[in-house]
Amino acid sequence: MKKIVIVFLFISGITLAGYFVISNANNQVKIVPRAQINKINKQEPKIKESFPFDSILCSFPRPILPNDSLLKLHLLGKFDYTKDSFFTAVSAEHCTKPTYLQKETYKNFKAMFAAAKKEGVILKIISGTRNFNEQKAIWERKWETNIKTMDSIGAAKKILLYSSMPTTSRHHWGTDMDINSLENSYFQSGQGLKEYNWLKKNAAKYGFCQTYTDKKTVVRDGYQLEKWHWSYIPISSLYLKKYNELIDYSQIAGFKGSKLAEKLKSIEEYVNGIDKNCKICD
Ligand SMILES: [Zn+2]
């Protein structure tokens, strides 16, 4: 008993004097100064990826964004991209149908296209910017099919495997595009595999990132794996940040099943359900 009291007094004494008694992983007791304890507690956990996304993607010059009222229309797809000064038509050699992208996105895509071509890889955009009405047409076509055989939640969830509700699609933003095929299987062998490997290795140098990576290997919510969907991060990472500031569920409306958006956590799990490497530059 006497021994315990003496140890207690000793520990209390050094704590008051600015020292702490701690035990390490091997249960060895150490006495360390208070200042050092504060330093240990302040250390941030190391979560940065080894792949150089942060050093490459975040080294791009900060883009000029539209003012908040126009930006809000971009985020919701409620604008005419053929007349918007931030957008431009894509040349036929880079796409398979008439396509528009933000000028900055397209400039960097062209640089990536040229580099890939030199290595025998052709990157064709099969879908670029889509506005609210175009996304609504895709959504409601799938809705009408699904609703014949399932309830409304089931119908929406099935569409949400690969397609967005209008007002929540990154394709509204002019930063995102689908390249070469809409089938993951295409990218598993032959030319498709060569294209995908090239993009995985090089796209970040031009500012592009695969947003919908494999949920079996990365932690994220939302859509299934899409090896074809690439995003110009220097702009889209800022658009995502602004989406979370400016948009709420009252604006996700005007299409069949839109009332389910909040229940399905469309903003939290789908708009924000992207690979974490694609949202670090803010
Ligand atoms: Zn896409």
Side-chain angles (χ1 to χ4, degrees):
M1 182 65 189
K2 197 177 168 189
K3 202 174 170 187
I4 291 169
V5 171
I6 290 167
V7 169
F8 175 75
L9 287 173
F10 172 70
I11 291 172
S12 307
I14 58 175
T15 303
L16 283 172
Y19 288 83
F20 276 92
V21 179
I22 60 166
S23 63
N24 64 10
N26 299 323
N27 287 327
Q28 291 167 326
V29 172
K30 280 171 78 180
I31 298 171
V32 295
R34 185 188 293 269
Q36 201 175 324
I37 287 282
N38 290 342
K39 210 172 157 191
I40 291 167
N41 290 339
K42 272 183 194 160
Q43 272 176 0
E44 294 285 325
K46 277 205 175 269
I47 52 166
K48 287 198 168 172
E49 293 289 318
S50 56
F51 193 80
F53 275 102
D54 51 354
S55 58
I56 296 175
L57 292 177
C58 299
S59 66
F60 279 71
R62 198 178 170 85
I64 298 163
L65 295 186
N67 62 37
D68 277 3
S69 60
L70 178 56
L71 184 50
K72 209 163 155 178
L73 300 176
H74 285 181
L75 292 170
L76 297 170
K78 295 192 171 176
F79 68 106
D80 182 351
Y81 52 72
T82 67
K83 295 193 174 81
D84 189 292
S85 66
F86 282 83
F87 284 72
T88 186
V90 170
S91 150
E93 68 170 311
H94 300 130
C95 56
T96 57
K97 63 178 184 187
T99 298
Y100 281 75
L101 288 173
Q102 286 218 24
K103 288 172 181 170
E104 198 64 20
T105 306
Y106 186 38
K107 189 178 96 182
N108 288 282
F109 175 82
K110 281 192 284 188
M112 180 165 80
F113 179 95
K117 198 177 171 187
K118 277 186 195 160
E119 294 178 41
V121 170
I122 303 297
L123 305 174
K124 288 261 190 183
I125 300 167
I126 56 175
S127 189
T129 308
R130 300 196 289 260
N131 65 21
F132 175 87
N133 288 330
E134 289 162 323
Q135 194 65 29
K136 181 178 167 165
I138 294 170
W139 176 270
E140 292 194 341
R141 178 172 45 81
K142 293 187 175 184
W143 175 271
E144 295 300 348
T145 304
N146 295 352
I147 206 70
K148 285 178 192 157
T149 56
M150 54 189 84
D151 64 12
S152 56
I153 283 282
K157 278 189 175 170
K158 192 174 176 195
I159 308 171
L160 285 168
L161 292 173
Y162 295 102
S163 299
S164 304
M165 287 182 171
T167 68
T168 70
S169 174
R170 296 172 69 93
H171 278 279
H172 295 330
W173 305 353
T175 55
D176 286 45
M177 63 190 68
D178 302 328
I179 294 176
N180 287 358
S181 171
L182 295 178
E183 298 288 339
N184 286 314
S185 59
Y186 167 79
F187 297 102
Q188 272 159 16
S189 62
Q191 190 63 18
L193 179 62
K194 189 179 171 187
E195 290 155 8
Y196 185 63
N197 285 340
W198 191 94
L199 285 163
K200 291 290 276 183
K201 188 177 167 205
N202 298 292
K205 291 178 207 162
Y206 304 92
F208 291 90
C209 181
Q210 185 193 348
T211 46
Y212 307 123
T213 42
D214 194 345
K215 290 201 279 188
K216 291 192 201 103
T217 54
V218 300
V219 179
R220 66 169 185 84
D221 297 313
Y223 308 104
Q224 299 299 299
L225 170 67
E226 293 188 5
K227 290 186 172 182
W228 55 85
H229 186 112
W230 294 81
S231 179
Y232 183 64
I233 298 308
I235 300 177
S236 63
S237 63
L238 300 178
Y239 267 48
L240 179 59
K241 196 171 170 235
K242 281 286 185 182
Y243 195 102
N244 290 320
E245 283 170 32
L246 300 172
I247 308 299
D248 59 45
Y249 282 105
S250 68
Q251 290 149 298
I252 301 179
F255 57 93
K256 286 178 181 166
S258 59
K259 287 193 171 63
L260 301 172
E262 190 159 4
K263 192 172 182 183
L264 292 167
K265 298 189 175 167
S266 294
I267 296 178
E268 298 85 347
E269 294 193 2
Y270 289 90
V271 176
N272 284 286
I274 62 169
D275 192 293
K276 68 180 187 301
N277 286 312
C278 305
K279 55 180 174 184
I280 50 176
C281 307
D282 55 6

